[in-house]
């Protein structure tokens, strides 16, 4: 759980800048694998109807969010629903 929280904080920091090679690498190597093992089953294109309308299979999907709004808010970790959810806040 702490690894997921840390990875999402890193993603939030990276999301506040333009998408560059380092941001993509961070997502693909640190965040993507965690989301794949814990979230994809219910929140991806593989799911017939992603729960809450949220998909976590791309950075763009996380920024768009679902029924409750954006899952990630660049530069605002406290306002990011995904981070609050995985931290059980």
């Amino acid at each position: 759980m702490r690894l997921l929280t840390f990875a999402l904080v890193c993603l939030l920091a990276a999301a506040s800048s333009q998408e560059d090679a380092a941001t993509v690498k961070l997502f693909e190597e640190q965040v993507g694998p965690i989301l794949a093992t814990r979230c994809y089953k219910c929140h991806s294109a593989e799911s017939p109807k992603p729960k809450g309308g949220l998909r976590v299979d791309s950075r763009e999907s996380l920024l768009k969010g679902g029924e409750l709004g954006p899952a990630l808010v660049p530069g605002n970790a406290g306002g990011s629903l995904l981070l609050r959810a995985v931290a059980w806040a």
Side-chain angles (χ1 to χ4, degrees):
M1 185 60 68
R2 288 184 182 168
L3 177 60
L4 179 57
T5 302
F6 174 74
L8 289 170
V9 168
C10 291
L11 177 63
L12 283 170
S16 64
S17 65
Q18 287 184 341
E19 186 171 322
D20 56 16
T23 302
V24 172
K25 182 178 179 182
L26 172 68
F27 183 84
E28 290 177 352
E29 293 179 359
Q30 301 293 322
V31 180
I34 296 168
L35 295 176
T37 59
R38 298 186 180 256
C39 308
Y40 275 24
K41 180 178 178 184
C42 299
H43 296 284
S44 72
E46 294 177 9
S47 175
K49 184 177 178 188
K51 287 188 176 182
L54 175 64
R55 288 183 46 189
V56 298
D57 44 5
S58 73
R59 178 176 174 262
E60 293 76 25
S61 295
L62 290 167
L63 293 172
K64 178 181 175 189
E67 294 171 2
L68 298 178
L72 296 179
V73 179
N76 182 3
S80 297
L81 296 174
L82 183 60
L83 183 59
R84 290 179 24 214
V86 300
W88 295 85

